[in-house]
Amino acid sequence: VLIISPYALWDQASCHSDWPSVVTLLGTSFQAPYPPCDQTAYDRWLGAVVAHYQTKVAAWQIIATPAEQAPPFAHYIGSAGSYADLAVQTANSIQAVDPDAMVMVGEISTTTPDSLIWFSDLLARPDVQTNLDLFSAKVDVTTEGEVLTSLLDKTGWIKPVWVVGDDKVFYTDW
């Protein structure tokens, strides 16, 4: 799985320069985990990456844990709607180069109320359900398995999901 992190500082400076810089665990050079500004440049870059690596990559994931919104763990700062727009655009760009590519949204890494609301808004969108997969969730299967199942049921998610936690791995069979 190759994780797409769509951040170029020159791009972020072009439309988010007045937004706060964010120092994350990804390093001090990564200070702007916001949606791309120049969609044409992003699509061109993404097309080149996919063309180069498509025979070596089994699946593409768009940002590792997008619901992690607070520094220092922020991988993306934005609404579920803006992430969904980015994810669908990214899936379309990847599949324009590699029509058979599997493209996935970032994983569910926690079942806090904020994360559940964020993912509920994301996974309920028909364009997300049509164009993308949800590969995995890292949760405590014993205590959070029912919460995750409820989220997937509530949003109408029907695709299988790998769930990893407590040294156990299981595959939902929707």
Side-chain angles (χ1 to χ4, degrees), residues 2-8 26 30 36 42 45 61-64 75:
L2 190 134
I3 298 171
I4 300 293
S5 295
Y7 312 116
L26 300 175
F30 176 79
Y42 174 62
W45 169 80
Q61 184 179 51
I62 307 157
I63 307 173
H75 285 225

Side-chain angles (χ1 to χ4, degrees), residues 63-84:
I63 307 173
T65 53
E68 294 288 341
Q69 299 277 309
F73 302 108
H75 285 225
Y76 179 78
I77 296 179
S79 68
S82 69
Y83 175 77

Side-chain angles (χ1 to χ4, degrees), residues 105-163:
V105 296
E107 75 182 11
I108 299 172
S109 60
T110 180
T111 58
T112 62
D114 287 345
S115 179
L116 291 174
I117 291 168
W118 200 92
F119 269 101
S120 179
D121 292 347
L122 172 70
L123 298 179
R125 282 188 43 169
D127 56 346
V128 170
Q129 291 195 19
T130 301
N131 293 298
L132 295 147
D133 290 291
L134 171 64
F135 180 69
S136 69
K138 287 184 182 173
V139 298
D140 180 332
V141 176
T142 306
T143 60
E144 298 176 304
E146 287 183 31
V147 173
L148 177 63
T149 301
S150 176
L151 169 68
L152 297 173
D153 288 345
K154 177 182 158 193
T155 60
W157 193 264
I158 59 169
K159 298 177 183 179
V161 177
W162 284 101
V163 180

Side-chain angles (χ1 to χ4, degrees), residues 36-120:
C37 301
D38 185 336
Q39 298 300 323
T40 303
Y42 174 62
D43 288 340
R44 189 172 44 251
W45 169 80
L46 189 58
V49 168
V50 174
H52 184 77
Y53 290 105
Q54 70 184 21
T55 61
K56 299 174 179 94
V57 174
W60 305 84
Q61 184 179 51
I62 307 157
I63 307 173
T65 53
E68 294 288 341
Q69 299 277 309
F73 302 108
H75 285 225
Y76 179 78
I77 296 179
S79 68
S82 69
Y83 175 77
D85 293 342
L86 172 64
V88 169
Q89 174 197 355
T90 300
N92 290 337
S93 296
I94 290 171
Q95 291 166 343
V97 176
D98 183 0
D100 297 324
M102 175 187 275
V103 184
M104 305 173 293
V105 296
E107 75 182 11
I108 299 172
S109 60
T110 180
T111 58
T112 62
D114 287 345
S115 179
L116 291 174
I117 291 168
W118 200 92
F119 269 101
S120 179

